Short mmCIF file of all heavy atoms in Angstrom, two decimals:
data_model
loop_
_atom_site.label_atom_id
_atom_site.label_comp_id
_atom_site.label_asym_id
_atom_site.label_seq_id
_atom_site.Cartn_x
_atom_site.Cartn_y
_atom_site.Cartn_z
N GLY C 23 -27.01 -10.22 -59.07
CA GLY C 23 -26.96 -10.13 -57.67
C GLY C 23 -28.29 -10.46 -56.99
O GLY C 23 -28.35 -11.05 -55.90
N GLU C 24 -29.40 -10.06 -57.69
CA GLU C 24 -30.71 -10.39 -57.14
C GLU C 24 -30.90 -11.85 -57.00
O GLU C 24 -31.45 -12.29 -55.96
CB GLU C 24 -31.74 -9.82 -58.04
CG GLU C 24 -33.23 -9.94 -57.64
CD GLU C 24 -34.14 -9.36 -58.60
OE1 GLU C 24 -34.21 -8.12 -58.58
OE2 GLU C 24 -34.80 -10.09 -59.33
N ASP C 25 -30.54 -12.71 -58.00
CA ASP C 25 -30.74 -14.10 -58.02
C ASP C 25 -29.98 -14.68 -56.87
O ASP C 25 -30.40 -15.64 -56.18
CB ASP C 25 -30.30 -14.70 -59.26
CG ASP C 25 -31.26 -14.30 -60.43
OD1 ASP C 25 -32.51 -13.90 -60.16
OD2 ASP C 25 -30.96 -14.49 -61.62
N ALA C 26 -28.73 -14.23 -56.67
CA ALA C 26 -27.85 -14.80 -55.61
C ALA C 26 -28.41 -14.43 -54.21
O ALA C 26 -28.38 -15.26 -53.26
CB ALA C 26 -26.43 -14.29 -55.76
N LEU C 27 -28.95 -13.23 -54.07
CA LEU C 27 -29.51 -12.85 -52.79
C LEU C 27 -30.78 -13.65 -52.46
O LEU C 27 -30.96 -14.02 -51.30
CB LEU C 27 -29.84 -11.30 -52.79
CG LEU C 27 -28.65 -10.40 -52.71
CD1 LEU C 27 -29.09 -8.97 -53.13
CD2 LEU C 27 -28.08 -10.34 -51.33
N VAL C 28 -31.60 -13.84 -53.49
CA VAL C 28 -32.74 -14.69 -53.21
C VAL C 28 -32.38 -16.07 -52.86
O VAL C 28 -33.00 -16.73 -51.95
CB VAL C 28 -33.69 -14.70 -54.52
CG1 VAL C 28 -34.81 -15.75 -54.32
CG2 VAL C 28 -34.24 -13.39 -54.75
N GLN C 29 -31.43 -16.65 -53.43
CA GLN C 29 -30.86 -17.89 -53.07
C GLN C 29 -30.40 -17.99 -51.63
O GLN C 29 -30.71 -18.90 -50.86
CB GLN C 29 -29.76 -18.44 -53.99
CG GLN C 29 -29.23 -19.87 -53.69
CD GLN C 29 -27.99 -20.20 -54.63
OE1 GLN C 29 -27.64 -19.45 -55.48
NE2 GLN C 29 -27.48 -21.32 -54.27
N LEU C 30 -29.72 -16.90 -51.23
CA LEU C 30 -29.18 -16.81 -49.89
C LEU C 30 -30.41 -16.67 -48.93
O LEU C 30 -30.45 -17.26 -47.78
CB LEU C 30 -28.35 -15.50 -49.70
CG LEU C 30 -26.84 -15.73 -49.86
CD1 LEU C 30 -26.14 -14.36 -49.76
CD2 LEU C 30 -26.28 -16.65 -48.85
N LEU C 31 -31.47 -15.97 -49.30
CA LEU C 31 -32.64 -15.84 -48.47
C LEU C 31 -33.34 -17.17 -48.16
O LEU C 31 -33.70 -17.41 -47.07
CB LEU C 31 -33.59 -14.88 -49.08
CG LEU C 31 -34.78 -14.43 -48.30
CD1 LEU C 31 -34.35 -13.54 -47.11
CD2 LEU C 31 -35.86 -13.66 -49.11
N THR C 32 -33.32 -18.04 -49.19
CA THR C 32 -33.99 -19.37 -49.00
C THR C 32 -33.19 -20.12 -48.08
O THR C 32 -33.75 -21.20 -47.45
CB THR C 32 -34.11 -20.08 -50.29
OG1 THR C 32 -32.81 -20.34 -50.89
CG2 THR C 32 -34.98 -19.22 -51.27
N GLU C 33 -31.91 -19.87 -47.79
CA GLU C 33 -31.08 -20.70 -46.82
C GLU C 33 -31.34 -20.33 -45.46
O GLU C 33 -30.78 -20.94 -44.47
CB GLU C 33 -29.66 -20.57 -47.25
CG GLU C 33 -29.25 -21.20 -48.59
CD GLU C 33 -27.91 -20.93 -48.94
OE1 GLU C 33 -27.08 -20.67 -48.07
OE2 GLU C 33 -27.54 -21.09 -50.17
N ASP C 34 -32.09 -19.28 -45.22
CA ASP C 34 -32.57 -18.85 -43.84
C ASP C 34 -31.32 -18.67 -42.92
O ASP C 34 -31.25 -19.27 -41.79
CB ASP C 34 -33.51 -19.89 -43.34
CG ASP C 34 -34.32 -19.33 -42.14
OD1 ASP C 34 -34.53 -18.08 -42.10
OD2 ASP C 34 -34.83 -20.07 -41.34
N ILE C 35 -30.37 -17.81 -43.30
CA ILE C 35 -29.29 -17.46 -42.47
C ILE C 35 -29.69 -16.37 -41.58
O ILE C 35 -29.71 -15.18 -42.04
CB ILE C 35 -28.04 -17.15 -43.33
CG1 ILE C 35 -27.69 -18.24 -44.30
CG2 ILE C 35 -26.83 -16.77 -42.45
CD1 ILE C 35 -26.58 -17.95 -45.25
N VAL C 36 -30.05 -16.66 -40.40
CA VAL C 36 -30.67 -15.61 -39.48
C VAL C 36 -29.86 -14.34 -39.36
O VAL C 36 -30.40 -13.21 -39.43
CB VAL C 36 -30.94 -16.19 -38.11
CG1 VAL C 36 -31.63 -15.20 -37.15
CG2 VAL C 36 -31.93 -17.38 -38.26
N SER C 37 -28.58 -14.47 -39.11
CA SER C 37 -27.71 -13.29 -38.91
C SER C 37 -27.60 -12.37 -40.12
O SER C 37 -27.35 -11.18 -39.97
CB SER C 37 -26.33 -13.77 -38.48
OG SER C 37 -25.67 -14.49 -39.54
N LEU C 38 -27.80 -12.94 -41.30
CA LEU C 38 -27.69 -12.15 -42.52
C LEU C 38 -29.03 -11.71 -43.02
O LEU C 38 -29.05 -10.74 -43.92
CB LEU C 38 -26.98 -13.00 -43.59
CG LEU C 38 -25.51 -13.32 -43.35
CD1 LEU C 38 -24.96 -14.03 -44.61
CD2 LEU C 38 -24.67 -12.11 -43.08
N LYS C 39 -30.12 -12.14 -42.66
CA LYS C 39 -31.42 -11.91 -43.21
C LYS C 39 -31.78 -10.42 -43.21
O LYS C 39 -32.13 -9.95 -44.35
CB LYS C 39 -32.50 -12.63 -42.50
CG LYS C 39 -33.89 -12.40 -43.19
CD LYS C 39 -35.05 -13.24 -42.68
CE LYS C 39 -36.29 -12.96 -43.46
NZ LYS C 39 -37.45 -13.68 -42.85
N PRO C 40 -31.50 -9.63 -42.21
CA PRO C 40 -31.87 -8.22 -42.33
C PRO C 40 -31.10 -7.50 -43.42
O PRO C 40 -31.66 -6.59 -44.10
CB PRO C 40 -31.46 -7.62 -40.93
CG PRO C 40 -31.52 -8.76 -40.02
CD PRO C 40 -31.06 -9.97 -40.91
N TYR C 41 -29.87 -7.93 -43.67
CA TYR C 41 -28.97 -7.28 -44.69
C TYR C 41 -29.38 -7.78 -46.02
O TYR C 41 -29.21 -7.05 -47.02
CB TYR C 41 -27.57 -7.56 -44.28
CG TYR C 41 -27.21 -7.16 -42.88
CD1 TYR C 41 -27.15 -8.08 -41.85
CD2 TYR C 41 -27.05 -5.81 -42.56
CE1 TYR C 41 -26.92 -7.76 -40.58
CE2 TYR C 41 -26.82 -5.41 -41.16
CZ TYR C 41 -26.75 -6.39 -40.17
OH TYR C 41 -26.46 -6.09 -38.91
N ILE C 42 -29.78 -9.06 -46.12
CA ILE C 42 -30.22 -9.59 -47.39
C ILE C 42 -31.56 -8.81 -47.89
O ILE C 42 -31.62 -8.34 -48.96
CB ILE C 42 -30.56 -11.07 -47.31
CG1 ILE C 42 -29.31 -11.85 -46.96
CG2 ILE C 42 -31.14 -11.48 -48.66
CD1 ILE C 42 -29.52 -13.32 -46.77
N VAL C 43 -32.40 -8.59 -46.87
CA VAL C 43 -33.57 -7.83 -47.21
C VAL C 43 -33.30 -6.39 -47.61
O VAL C 43 -33.86 -5.86 -48.57
CB VAL C 43 -34.57 -7.89 -45.94
CG1 VAL C 43 -35.73 -6.94 -46.13
CG2 VAL C 43 -35.06 -9.27 -45.65
N GLU C 44 -32.41 -5.77 -46.92
CA GLU C 44 -31.97 -4.37 -47.18
C GLU C 44 -31.43 -4.36 -48.66
O GLU C 44 -31.80 -3.36 -49.36
CB GLU C 44 -30.88 -3.91 -46.18
CG GLU C 44 -30.56 -2.44 -46.36
CD GLU C 44 -29.54 -2.00 -45.36
OE1 GLU C 44 -29.45 -2.58 -44.29
OE2 GLU C 44 -28.88 -0.97 -45.61
N ALA C 45 -30.64 -5.33 -48.97
CA ALA C 45 -30.00 -5.36 -50.39
C ALA C 45 -31.12 -5.59 -51.41
O ALA C 45 -31.09 -4.92 -52.43
CB ALA C 45 -28.93 -6.41 -50.42
N LEU C 46 -32.04 -6.50 -51.16
CA LEU C 46 -33.08 -6.75 -52.13
C LEU C 46 -33.97 -5.55 -52.28
O LEU C 46 -34.47 -5.25 -53.38
CB LEU C 46 -33.90 -7.95 -51.66
CG LEU C 46 -33.30 -9.33 -51.80
CD1 LEU C 46 -34.09 -10.41 -51.15
CD2 LEU C 46 -33.19 -9.60 -53.31
N GLU C 47 -34.26 -4.84 -51.17
CA GLU C 47 -35.07 -3.53 -51.26
C GLU C 47 -34.24 -2.53 -52.09
O GLU C 47 -34.98 -1.86 -52.91
CB GLU C 47 -35.37 -3.10 -49.91
CG GLU C 47 -36.36 -3.93 -49.12
CD GLU C 47 -36.56 -3.40 -47.67
OE1 GLU C 47 -35.80 -2.59 -47.31
OE2 GLU C 47 -37.61 -3.89 -47.02
N SER C 48 -33.03 -2.47 -51.93
CA SER C 48 -32.25 -1.46 -52.74
C SER C 48 -32.21 -1.83 -54.22
O SER C 48 -32.11 -0.89 -55.10
CB SER C 48 -30.78 -1.34 -52.18
OG SER C 48 -30.04 -2.56 -52.60
N LEU C 49 -32.41 -3.13 -54.46
CA LEU C 49 -32.45 -3.53 -55.99
C LEU C 49 -33.81 -3.35 -56.54
O LEU C 49 -34.00 -3.64 -57.78
CB LEU C 49 -31.97 -4.99 -56.10
CG LEU C 49 -30.52 -5.26 -55.91
CD1 LEU C 49 -30.27 -6.76 -55.73
CD2 LEU C 49 -29.72 -4.70 -57.02
N GLY C 50 -34.81 -3.02 -55.77
CA GLY C 50 -36.14 -2.92 -56.24
C GLY C 50 -36.90 -4.24 -56.30
O GLY C 50 -38.00 -4.33 -56.97
N TYR C 51 -36.35 -5.27 -55.76
CA TYR C 51 -36.94 -6.55 -55.84
C TYR C 51 -38.29 -6.65 -55.11
O TYR C 51 -39.31 -7.21 -55.64
CB TYR C 51 -36.00 -7.61 -55.16
CG TYR C 51 -36.52 -9.02 -55.14
CD1 TYR C 51 -36.46 -9.88 -56.30
CD2 TYR C 51 -37.14 -9.49 -54.01
CE1 TYR C 51 -36.91 -11.18 -56.18
CE2 TYR C 51 -37.61 -10.86 -53.92
CZ TYR C 51 -37.48 -11.73 -55.03
OH TYR C 51 -37.94 -12.95 -55.01
N VAL C 52 -38.38 -5.99 -53.91
CA VAL C 52 -39.63 -5.99 -53.16
C VAL C 52 -40.74 -5.27 -53.94
O VAL C 52 -41.86 -5.75 -54.06
CB VAL C 52 -39.40 -5.39 -51.82
CG1 VAL C 52 -40.78 -5.27 -50.98
CG2 VAL C 52 -38.44 -6.26 -50.99
N GLU C 53 -40.48 -4.15 -54.49
CA GLU C 53 -41.44 -3.33 -55.23
C GLU C 53 -41.94 -4.09 -56.39
O GLU C 53 -43.06 -4.08 -56.77
CB GLU C 53 -40.86 -1.95 -55.65
CG GLU C 53 -40.72 -0.99 -54.55
CD GLU C 53 -42.02 -0.64 -53.90
OE1 GLU C 53 -43.07 -0.59 -54.66
OE2 GLU C 53 -42.09 -0.58 -52.68
N ALA C 54 -40.99 -4.85 -57.07
CA ALA C 54 -41.39 -5.62 -58.30
C ALA C 54 -42.31 -6.75 -57.86
O ALA C 54 -43.27 -7.05 -58.61
CB ALA C 54 -40.16 -6.24 -58.90
N ARG C 55 -42.08 -7.32 -56.75
CA ARG C 55 -43.03 -8.45 -56.26
C ARG C 55 -44.43 -7.94 -55.91
O ARG C 55 -45.45 -8.46 -56.10
CB ARG C 55 -42.38 -9.28 -55.05
CG ARG C 55 -41.07 -9.85 -55.33
CD ARG C 55 -41.06 -10.96 -56.33
NE ARG C 55 -41.12 -10.63 -57.67
CZ ARG C 55 -40.02 -10.07 -58.37
NH1 ARG C 55 -38.86 -9.96 -57.72
NH2 ARG C 55 -40.18 -9.77 -59.67
N ILE C 56 -44.36 -6.73 -55.28
CA ILE C 56 -45.67 -6.06 -54.89
C ILE C 56 -46.44 -5.77 -56.14
O ILE C 56 -47.69 -5.96 -56.18
CB ILE C 56 -45.38 -4.83 -54.06
CG1 ILE C 56 -44.84 -5.15 -52.77
CG2 ILE C 56 -46.67 -3.95 -54.00
CD1 ILE C 56 -44.45 -3.97 -51.83
N ARG C 57 -45.83 -5.35 -57.20
CA ARG C 57 -46.54 -5.08 -58.48
C ARG C 57 -47.05 -6.29 -59.01
O ARG C 57 -48.17 -6.34 -59.67
CB ARG C 57 -45.59 -4.34 -59.45
CG ARG C 57 -45.27 -2.95 -59.10
CD ARG C 57 -44.60 -2.23 -60.37
NE ARG C 57 -43.35 -2.78 -60.75
CZ ARG C 57 -42.19 -2.43 -60.25
NH1 ARG C 57 -42.13 -1.51 -59.32
NH2 ARG C 57 -41.14 -3.07 -60.63
N GLU C 58 -46.40 -7.45 -58.85
CA GLU C 58 -46.82 -8.68 -59.36
C GLU C 58 -48.16 -9.21 -58.61
O GLU C 58 -48.81 -10.09 -59.18
CB GLU C 58 -45.76 -9.77 -59.23
CG GLU C 58 -44.69 -9.53 -60.33
CD GLU C 58 -43.50 -10.60 -60.14
OE1 GLU C 58 -43.52 -11.34 -59.13
OE2 GLU C 58 -42.69 -10.59 -61.01
N LEU C 59 -48.38 -8.63 -57.46
CA LEU C 59 -49.69 -9.00 -56.77
C LEU C 59 -50.84 -8.60 -57.46
O LEU C 59 -52.02 -9.12 -57.19
CB LEU C 59 -49.68 -8.59 -55.26
CG LEU C 59 -48.55 -9.07 -54.30
CD1 LEU C 59 -48.57 -8.22 -52.99
CD2 LEU C 59 -48.89 -10.55 -54.03
N LYS C 60 -50.79 -7.73 -58.45
CA LYS C 60 -51.93 -7.29 -59.22
C LYS C 60 -51.91 -8.00 -60.62
O LYS C 60 -52.78 -7.71 -61.45
CB LYS C 60 -51.76 -5.82 -59.51
CG LYS C 60 -51.79 -4.94 -58.22
CD LYS C 60 -51.66 -3.47 -58.49
CE LYS C 60 -51.61 -2.71 -57.16
NZ LYS C 60 -51.41 -1.25 -57.44
N HIS C 61 -51.10 -9.00 -60.81
CA HIS C 61 -50.98 -9.64 -62.11
C HIS C 61 -52.30 -10.41 -62.37
O HIS C 61 -52.86 -11.03 -61.42
CB HIS C 61 -49.72 -10.59 -62.13
CG HIS C 61 -49.31 -10.96 -63.49
ND1 HIS C 61 -49.94 -11.88 -64.21
CD2 HIS C 61 -48.30 -10.45 -64.29
CE1 HIS C 61 -49.31 -12.05 -65.40
NE2 HIS C 61 -48.29 -11.20 -65.52
N ARG C 62 -52.70 -10.55 -63.59
CA ARG C 62 -53.88 -11.30 -63.92
C ARG C 62 -53.65 -12.78 -63.74
O ARG C 62 -54.66 -13.50 -63.53
CB ARG C 62 -54.27 -11.01 -65.37
CG ARG C 62 -53.27 -11.46 -66.44
CD ARG C 62 -53.57 -10.99 -67.77
NE ARG C 62 -54.93 -11.43 -68.24
CZ ARG C 62 -55.49 -11.00 -69.41
NH1 ARG C 62 -54.74 -10.16 -70.19
NH2 ARG C 62 -56.65 -11.48 -69.75
N ASP C 63 -52.46 -13.30 -63.83
CA ASP C 63 -52.25 -14.74 -63.68
C ASP C 63 -52.03 -15.08 -62.16
O ASP C 63 -51.14 -14.56 -61.46
CB ASP C 63 -50.88 -15.09 -64.42
CG ASP C 63 -50.63 -16.61 -64.38
OD1 ASP C 63 -51.24 -17.34 -63.67
OD2 ASP C 63 -49.87 -17.11 -65.14
N PRO C 64 -52.95 -15.92 -61.55
CA PRO C 64 -52.84 -16.27 -60.21
C PRO C 64 -51.54 -16.89 -59.81
O PRO C 64 -51.07 -16.82 -58.71
CB PRO C 64 -53.98 -17.17 -59.96
CG PRO C 64 -54.44 -17.65 -61.36
CD PRO C 64 -54.11 -16.68 -62.24
N THR C 65 -50.96 -17.67 -60.74
CA THR C 65 -49.64 -18.27 -60.50
C THR C 65 -48.53 -17.25 -60.16
O THR C 65 -47.80 -17.37 -59.22
CB THR C 65 -49.18 -19.14 -61.65
OG1 THR C 65 -50.14 -20.15 -61.97
CG2 THR C 65 -47.81 -19.84 -61.40
N VAL C 66 -48.55 -16.11 -60.91
CA VAL C 66 -47.63 -15.11 -60.67
C VAL C 66 -47.89 -14.43 -59.26
O VAL C 66 -46.95 -14.13 -58.55
CB VAL C 66 -47.65 -14.04 -61.81
CG1 VAL C 66 -46.71 -12.86 -61.45
CG2 VAL C 66 -47.28 -14.67 -63.11
N ARG C 67 -49.19 -14.25 -59.02
CA ARG C 67 -49.52 -13.66 -57.68
C ARG C 67 -49.10 -14.58 -56.56
O ARG C 67 -48.65 -14.08 -55.51
CB ARG C 67 -51.03 -13.35 -57.61
CG ARG C 67 -51.53 -12.39 -58.69
CD ARG C 67 -52.83 -11.73 -58.31
NE ARG C 67 -53.86 -12.66 -58.02
CZ ARG C 67 -54.70 -13.28 -58.82
NH1 ARG C 67 -54.51 -13.02 -60.21
NH2 ARG C 67 -55.66 -14.06 -58.51
N ARG C 68 -49.32 -15.89 -56.71
CA ARG C 68 -48.83 -16.79 -55.62
C ARG C 68 -47.39 -16.73 -55.39
O ARG C 68 -46.96 -16.71 -54.25
CB ARG C 68 -49.25 -18.20 -56.06
CG ARG C 68 -50.73 -18.55 -56.05
CD ARG C 68 -50.96 -19.87 -56.73
NE ARG C 68 -52.35 -20.08 -57.28
CZ ARG C 68 -52.64 -20.88 -58.18
NH1 ARG C 68 -51.74 -21.68 -58.76
NH2 ARG C 68 -53.97 -20.95 -58.59
N GLN C 69 -46.58 -16.76 -56.50
CA GLN C 69 -45.08 -16.68 -56.31
C GLN C 69 -44.75 -15.34 -55.71
O GLN C 69 -43.74 -15.31 -54.89
CB GLN C 69 -44.45 -16.79 -57.71
CG GLN C 69 -44.65 -18.21 -58.34
CD GLN C 69 -44.18 -18.24 -59.75
OE1 GLN C 69 -43.94 -17.24 -60.40
NE2 GLN C 69 -44.06 -19.45 -60.30
#
């Protein structure tokens, strides 16, 4: 579900974006990306 939601997010569907974000937050996707901001590899931090 996370992969499909990220794909939907890249399509920039304005009416659905708040709900996509809410769903991604419930899956822990946002917290996982925040943790990656501390990764030693700059490529991971950029992504």
Side-chain angles (χ1 to χ4, degrees):
E24 181 181 286
D25 291 342
L27 285 166
V28 171
Q29 183 184 355
L30 269 177
L31 188 67
T32 61
E33 295 177 17
D34 200 23
I35 305 173
V36 176
S37 62
L38 294 182
K39 184 173 180 181
Y41 307 100
I42 297 173
V43 171
E44 183 177 339
L46 285 171
E47 288 177 348
S48 73
L49 287 169
Y51 178 82
V52 174
E53 287 300 320
R55 302 293 80 73
I56 290 174
R57 288 194 296 272
E58 286 177 352
L59 291 173
K60 299 177 182 178
H61 200 280
R62 64 191 300 177
D63 186 346
T65 302
V66 175
R67 301 201 304 275
R68 292 170 201 157
Q69 292 171 347

